[in-house]
């Protein structure tokens, strides 16, 4: 599903984002990228989203070599990826329903399909009753659920989450993690960058630890660090 | 492009224009002002050139023939001259015609010319040659000078040079004015769309993340630019056209003599050319403005 081979990213100013990373993620896996700030987590996420191209090595996502595809194919690649961010990135002038429907509209999904899928996804994330609310009328957790609904409404095989619980209190964060676990159980591959130790410890999933741009630890099932 | 997307593009374009309505009005007004001044300059330049052309037509070359030529030789020479490139018309003027003409010009003092009639007419056979364009005068003169049977060639050299210089000056000024105004319009439209793109940068980011194509993201902004360009050129042309007709009427009324020198072009002659140019200009500006302002946000 996702394969990185000897991937390095050196920024134009000379600083190293990641160095010689090789990693394979199978379909249906739930993988945490953990590490302190500056460890390379964000660079990894940006490389997967093709916001950045690697300086060396190749990244293959769903049989597409991301650093070799043309501009026109980027949209095709991105349709394989759902994304959620720490800051939700909802459109403030659109309702919950419209925010989610927007993701389908812009890839030119048939309106019938939009009318069917959006309510289904909203009830999956527990927001069926908030469909007409605007983001500023929602709690942080509800906003992140909306963002999640938007990320999965097009049914992408991979979901990438960049610190999705970073702005949430522990309880709400736990709810979001449950939701992510549900989504994962339905077959979606999930890659999540975080430095929330308790969450990683509680989930007991695959953990890839990054430090100074290198992978220092990769365990199939475990906590944030070896002491746990 | 799918039909339902077209609806989406227009809805988004209109919502963008309405959301930034002050900017929209300001840019339509500025573009309209530029197109209006452009239209006025174009009317002036076009008419001046048209009038110059009429004057140029009246400037010809006079060729005086040697006295000992037979009618047949004169006829043959006329054919030779007619065949020269850029010669539009060759008119034969007999000595009698020339004398009549002279008498008319001298008016009350024609008495001086008494006794020059008939056998005593000192004037010679001549041709009045008109050209397709006075720019070609030098070429034609060179060829005439090589012909046999010509005694003397007269042409209005100073007038020709002045007219040619004027023509060139008007052309350059016109192009310059229009180019400057076009540049101003370009900057204005670009800025409006840049602001519109900026206010919707979050939407653009999300569109990119969920896999919208570049063109899907671009279209609403392109339509926005086209609408600004369209409205900004239709309004001033709609004002300038009737205004032009009125102005020409006024000039004819107050300076009736001008008709003797030259006439103005008809409104339809000018605006049937200017209108599509202005429209195309506005629309192209819209497209170029959106494509360039949005490029930054489409990267990555």
């Amino acid at each position: 599903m996702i394969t990185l081979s000897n991937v390095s990213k050196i920024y134009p100013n000379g600083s190293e984002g990641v160095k010689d990373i090789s990693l394979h993620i199978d379909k249906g896996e739930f993988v945490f990228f953990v590490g302190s700030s500056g460890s390379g987590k964000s660079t990894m996420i940006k490389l997967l989203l093709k916001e950045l191209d690697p300086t060396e090595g190749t990244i293959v996502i769903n049989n597409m070599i991301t650093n070799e595809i043309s501009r026109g194919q980027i949209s095709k690649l991105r349709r394989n990826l759902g994304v959620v961010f720490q800051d939700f990135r909802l459109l403030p002038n659109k309702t919950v329903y419209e925010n989610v429907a927007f993701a389908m509209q812009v890839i030119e999904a048939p309106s019938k399909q939009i009318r069917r899928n959006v309510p289904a996804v909203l009830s999956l994330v527990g927001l069926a009753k908030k469909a007409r609310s605007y983001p500023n009328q929602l709690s942080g957790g509800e906003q992140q659920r909306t963002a999640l609904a938007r990320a999965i409404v097009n049914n992408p095989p991979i979901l990438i989450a960049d610190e999705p619980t970073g702005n949430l209190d522990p309880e709400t964060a736990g709810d979001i993690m449950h939701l992510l676990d549900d989504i994962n159980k339905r077959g979606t591959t999930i890659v999540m960058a975080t430095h929330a130790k308790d969450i990683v410890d509680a989930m007991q999933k695959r953990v890839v630890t990054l430090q100074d741009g290198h992978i220092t630890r990769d365990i199939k099932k475990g906590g944030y660090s070896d002491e746990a | 492009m799918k039909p339902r997307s077209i609806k989406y593009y227009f809805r988004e374009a209109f919502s963008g224009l309405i959301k930034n309505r002050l900017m929209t009005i300001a840019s339509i007004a500025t573009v309209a002002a530029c197109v209006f001044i452009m239209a006025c300059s174009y009317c002036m330049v076009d008419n001046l050139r048209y009038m110059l052309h009429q004057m140029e037509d009246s400037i010809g070359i006079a060729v005086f023939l040697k006295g000992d030529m037979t009618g047949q030789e004169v006829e043959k020479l006329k054919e030779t001259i007619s065949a020269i490139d850029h010669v539009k018309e060759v008119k034969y003027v007999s000595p009698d015609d020339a004398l009549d003409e002279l008498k008319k010009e001298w008016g009350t003092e024609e008495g001086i010319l008494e006794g020059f009639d008939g056998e005593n007419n000192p004037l010679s056979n001549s041709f009045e040659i008109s050209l397709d364009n006075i720019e070609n005068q030098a070429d034609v003169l060179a060829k005439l000078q090589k012909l046999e049977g010509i005694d003397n060639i007269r042409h209005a050299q100073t007038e020709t040079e002045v007219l040619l210089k004027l023509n060139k000056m008007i052309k350059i000024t016109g192009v310059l004015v229009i180019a400057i105004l076009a540049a101003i319009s370009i900057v204005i439209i670009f800025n409006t769309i840049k602001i519109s793109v900026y206010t919707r940068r979050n939407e653009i980011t999300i569109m990119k993340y969920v896999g919208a194509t570049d063109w899907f993201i671009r279209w609403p902004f392109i339509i926005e630019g086209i609408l600004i360009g369209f409205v900004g050129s239709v309004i001033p042309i709609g004002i300038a056209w009737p205004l032009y007709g009125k102005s020409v009427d006024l000039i004819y009324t107050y300076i009736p003599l001008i008709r003797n020198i030259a006439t103005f072009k008809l409104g339809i002659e000018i605006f049937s050319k200017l209108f599509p140019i202005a429209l195309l200009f506005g629309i192209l500006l819209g497209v170029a403005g959106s494509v360039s302002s949005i490029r930054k946000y489409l990267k990555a």
Side-chain angles (χ1 to χ4, degrees), chain A residues 153-209:
Chain A
V153 72
N154 288 323
N155 224 349
I158 300 165
L159 179 65
I160 293 176
D162 191 5
E163 305 269 7
T165 58
N167 282 356
L168 305 175
D169 62 71
E171 200 182 323
T172 318
D175 290 345
I176 293 292
M177 291 316 297
H178 270 299
L179 206 49
L180 283 173
D181 203 24
D182 283 346
I183 293 165
N184 177 237
K185 282 187 179 130
R186 291 154 55 103
T188 307
T189 307
I190 295 187
V191 178
M192 171 169 162
T194 186
H195 53 243
K197 184 176 181 308
D198 42 343
I199 284 175
V200 179
D201 288 343
M203 296 291 286
Q204 292 293 307
K205 301 284 186 188
R206 180 173 173 191
V207 180
V208 174
T209 309

Side-chain angles (χ1 to χ4, degrees), chain A residues 206-220:
Chain A
R206 180 173 173 191
V207 180
V208 174
T209 309
L210 289 153
Q211 201 180 346
D212 298 328
H214 294 277
I215 294 179
T216 54
R217 177 169 168 268
D218 183 356
I219 54 166
K220 277 281 162 218

